């Protein structure tokens, strides 16, 4: 998940350490860390404050991640079916994958430290570089990709609704796949420097849990370039992140969602007039297919409006909190809105809300798309039929196995089904 603060601490949040003047990171030698009690604070341990954090990261988050992986896996299985492969659904699959990865990356670290109770001791040397990568850097990459893919989804839907022919040219399936690749690559490049800004020096210290046991932990040092430009480096990174990963996407999505809602209202008024004309000409049996297809597109658009709305509901508070945190760190003497403890607690609550929102998309698809529901249910019905046929007799079993590799033909879906299979 996207953390405001580094998930490791030195008896205090690491973000406060970034506010120190350049050069302070390397002033204490390894021997001083071993011998000076005041320097023990420089040795890594994971966060255990606020008190609920251990239960959240050790129990609640792993359960939510498992639910997210399951539901998003179902989304991918359904939308990757041959008859469901559209540009819009390709974007939904990409968002489902990046959301699942955002939850999966921190899982090994959370299980090892919080679920197994290792969070109360010093961080082992093998985890010093791995833990921040899994719980902060990689989740931030995939979450950034998910954010901009959601923006791309909103742009694609708006263009397809308001300028259908242009949308079909701009957002064909090959172009959408290329766009997804560009977004993912850009998201990775945006945060890739985080993997190289620190080095770790091994130190042997007494365990915090058992004074008769020693632990090989680590001390963090910024690399020379970052150390010489610590304020400029982190200031530039976090301001870039708050503008281009939080403010611009949320603002764009808010505008696009309002425009889509206005477009839906106009379409509903147009549909009401069309239905009135069709009723007056019902005796002629004139084509209602156009109205049916319009209903499909409107339903898909409304569904995506809800998806984007849910995204804004959980992401906008994170953007505001991030701005407050950055302003307070940049102008500590003139800006004081929230205490560090309040920001820490709020950031963990918002991160949990974001993780909780990931599985909700699956239920939005199920409730608003008949095509999605039918395809999802058919997956399990076919499996039940195969199992029943296999259990009927040995001959039937061989017949079933022989025919499972044969091409299956999906039934033609009538326009009356609320679908996710629009051309654009």
């Amino acid at each position: 998940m996207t953390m405001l603060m580094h998930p490791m601490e030195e008896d205090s949040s690491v973000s406060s350490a970034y506010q120190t003047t350049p050069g302070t990171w390397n002033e204490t030698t390894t021997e001083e860390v071993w011998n000076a009690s005041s320097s023990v604070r420089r040795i890594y341990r994971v966060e255990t404050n606020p008190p609920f954090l251990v239960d959240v990261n050790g129990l609640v988050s792993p359960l939510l991640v498992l639910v997210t992986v399951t539901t998003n896996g179902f989304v991918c299985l359904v939308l990757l079916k041959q008859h469901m492969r559209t540009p819009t659904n390709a974007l939904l699959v990409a968002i489902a994958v990046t959301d699942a990865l955002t939850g999966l990356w921190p899982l090994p670290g959370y299980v090892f430290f919080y679920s197994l109770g290792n969070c109360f001791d010093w961080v082992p040397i093998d985890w010093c570089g791995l833990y921040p990568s899994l719980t902060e850097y990689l989740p931030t990459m995939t979450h950034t990709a998910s954010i901009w893919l959601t923006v791309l989804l909103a742009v694609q839907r708006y263009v397809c609704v308001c300028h259908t022919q242009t949308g079909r040219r701009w957002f064909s399936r090959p172009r959408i796949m290329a766009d997804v690749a560009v977004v993912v690559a850009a998201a990775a490049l945006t945060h890739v420097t985080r993997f190289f800004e620190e080095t770790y020096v091994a130190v042997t210290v007494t365990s915090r849990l058992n004074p008769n046991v020693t632990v090989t932990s680590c001390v963090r040092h910024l690399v020379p370039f970052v150390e010489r430009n610590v304020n400029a480096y982190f200031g530039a990174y976090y301001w870039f992140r708050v503008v281009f990963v939080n403010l611009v996407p949320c603002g764009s999505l808010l505008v696009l969602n309002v425009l889509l809602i206005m477009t839906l209202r106009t379409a509903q008024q147009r549909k009401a007039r069309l239905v009135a004309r069709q009723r007056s000409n019902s005796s002629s049996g004139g084509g209602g297919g156009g109205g049916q297809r319009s209903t499909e597109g409107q339903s898909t658009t409304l569904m995506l409006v809800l998806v984007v709305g849910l995204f804004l509901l959980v992401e906008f508070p994170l953007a505001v909190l991030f701005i407050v945190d950055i302003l307070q760190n940049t102008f500590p003497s003139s800006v004081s809105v929230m205490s560090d403890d309040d920001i820490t607690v709020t950031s963990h609550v918002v991160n949990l809300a974001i993780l909780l929102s990931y599985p909700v998309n699956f239920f939005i698809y199920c409730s608003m798309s008949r095509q999605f529901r039918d395809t999802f249910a058919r997956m399990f019905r076919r499996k039940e039929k195969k199992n029943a046929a296999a259990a009927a007799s040995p001959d039937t079993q061989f017949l079933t196995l022989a025919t499972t590799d044969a091409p299956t033909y999906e039934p033609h879906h009538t326009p009356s089904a609320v679908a996710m299979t629009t051309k654009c």
Side-chain angles (χ1 to χ4, degrees):
M1 287 165 286
T2 305
M3 303 291 293
L4 286 182
M5 299 183 181
H6 200 296
M8 288 185 176
E9 61 176 10
E10 300 161 338
D11 286 357
S12 61
S13 68
V14 172
S15 61
S16 63
Y18 287 150
Q19 299 170 25
T20 60
T21 57
T24 56
W25 286 99
N26 290 332
E27 288 176 357
T28 303
T29 65
T30 302
E31 290 76 11
E32 288 175 329
V33 172
W34 290 339
N35 298 327
S37 60
S38 62
S39 297
V40 173
R41 295 166 63 87
R42 295 179 178 274
I43 304 173
Y44 263 168
R45 67 186 181 94
V46 300
E47 282 187 308
T48 54
N49 287 315
F52 65 80
L53 188 61
V54 176
D55 291 332
V56 168
N57 288 351
L59 180 62
V60 178
S61 291
L63 290 177
L64 286 177
V65 169
L66 292 178
V67 173
T68 298
V69 172
T70 302
T71 54
N72 287 20
F74 286 148
V75 168
C76 293
L77 288 175
V78 171
L79 298 185
L80 289 176
K81 290 288 186 181
Q82 186 65 39
H83 67 286
M84 299 289 283
R85 295 182 181 179
T86 65
T88 299
N89 291 351
L91 281 173
L92 294 178
V93 168
I95 293 172
V97 171
T98 52
D99 285 348
L101 287 175
T102 302
L104 272 175
W105 291 126
L107 191 59
Y110 284 175
V111 170
F112 178 81
F113 285 101
Y114 294 102
S115 301
L116 300 181
N118 294 311
C119 58
F120 300 104
D121 207 344
W122 304 115
V123 173
I125 183 63
D126 292 339
W127 280 92
C128 286
L130 184 61
Y131 187 80
S133 297
L134 289 176
T135 59
E136 184 180 7
Y137 308 153
L138 288 171
T140 302
M141 281 185 175
T142 51
H143 189 59
T144 299
S146 176
I147 288 172
W148 279 105
L149 287 173
T150 305
V151 175
L152 180 60
L153 174 67
V155 171
Q156 182 259 0
R157 197 62 204 162
Y158 176 75
V159 174
C160 286
V161 169
C162 298
H163 310 280
T164 305
Q165 296 302 322
T166 301
R168 289 179 180 176
R169 291 196 308 270
W170 287 6
F171 298 107
S172 62
R173 279 183 57 196
R175 288 193 176 184
I176 282 292
M177 299 308 296
D179 292 340
V180 169
V182 169
V183 168
V184 172
L189 290 175
T190 299
H191 306 286
V192 71
T193 60
R194 300 302 309 273
F195 293 95
F196 307 103
E197 67 193 23
E198 298 171 341
T199 59
Y200 302 91
V201 177
V203 294
T204 301
V205 291
T206 302
S207 169
R208 300 178 70 241
L209 301 180
N210 187 346
N212 298 320
V213 175
T214 59
V215 176
T216 302
S217 186
C218 60
V219 177
R220 181 181 65 173
H221 296 273
L222 296 176
V223 298
F225 171 80
V226 176
E227 184 181 1
R228 290 193 303 268
N229 306 278
V230 61
N231 293 327
Y233 172 79
F234 286 106
Y237 170 77
Y238 282 109
W239 273 112
F240 177 88
R241 180 171 160 184
V242 76
V243 171
F244 293 102
V245 181
N246 297 103
L247 279 181
V248 172
C250 286
S252 302
L253 286 172
L254 185 60
V255 171
L256 288 168
N257 233 27
V258 171
L259 292 175
L260 281 172
I261 291 172
M262 294 172 60
T263 302
L264 281 176
R265 288 183 177 178
T266 303
Q268 288 172 351
Q269 295 171 357
R270 188 184 306 117
K271 176 186 174 183
R273 293 193 295 269
L274 177 63
V275 169
R277 286 199 300 268
Q278 287 179 343
R279 286 177 178 173
S280 64
N281 299 326
S282 58
S283 58
S284 64
Q292 300 282 6
R293 286 188 293 272
S294 176
T295 300
E296 295 174 15
Q298 292 174 28
S299 178
T300 301
T301 302
L302 178 59
M303 180 182 67
L304 298 183
V305 165
L306 289 179
V307 170
V308 173
L310 174 66
F311 173 89
L312 286 172
L313 184 65
V314 295
E315 291 290 341
F316 193 75
L318 180 63
V320 173
L321 192 62
F322 215 148
I323 293 171
V324 171
D325 194 26
I326 295 297
L327 287 175
Q328 291 188 163
N329 286 338
T330 306
F331 310 104
S333 60
S334 56
V335 178
S336 180
V337 180
M338 302 175 65
S339 67
D340 289 343
D341 291 340
D342 290 340
I343 289 180
T344 301
V345 172
T346 308
S347 67
H348 287 300
V349 172
V350 172
N351 284 328
L352 187 63
I354 291 174
L355 183 59
L356 185 61
S357 71
Y358 291 156
V360 176
N361 288 339
F362 170 78
F363 298 101
I364 293 177
Y365 302 154
C366 283
S367 62
M368 299 200 65
S369 172
R370 178 179 170 184
Q371 183 90 11
F372 186 94
R373 288 196 306 271
D374 291 347
T375 304
F376 180 67
R378 201 157 46 240
M379 290 167 54
F380 291 94
R381 285 200 297 266
R382 286 177 178 173
K383 185 175 181 180
E384 291 175 359
K385 290 179 180 179
K386 290 177 182 179
N387 292 339
S393 67
D395 292 337
T396 305
Q397 180 180 6
F398 287 117
L399 179 61
T400 303
L401 291 173
T403 57
T404 52
D405 292 333
T408 57
Y409 298 93
E410 300 290 347
H412 291 288
H413 299 281
T414 61
S416 61
V418 177
M420 298 174 69
T421 57
T422 53
K423 293 290 183 183
C424 185

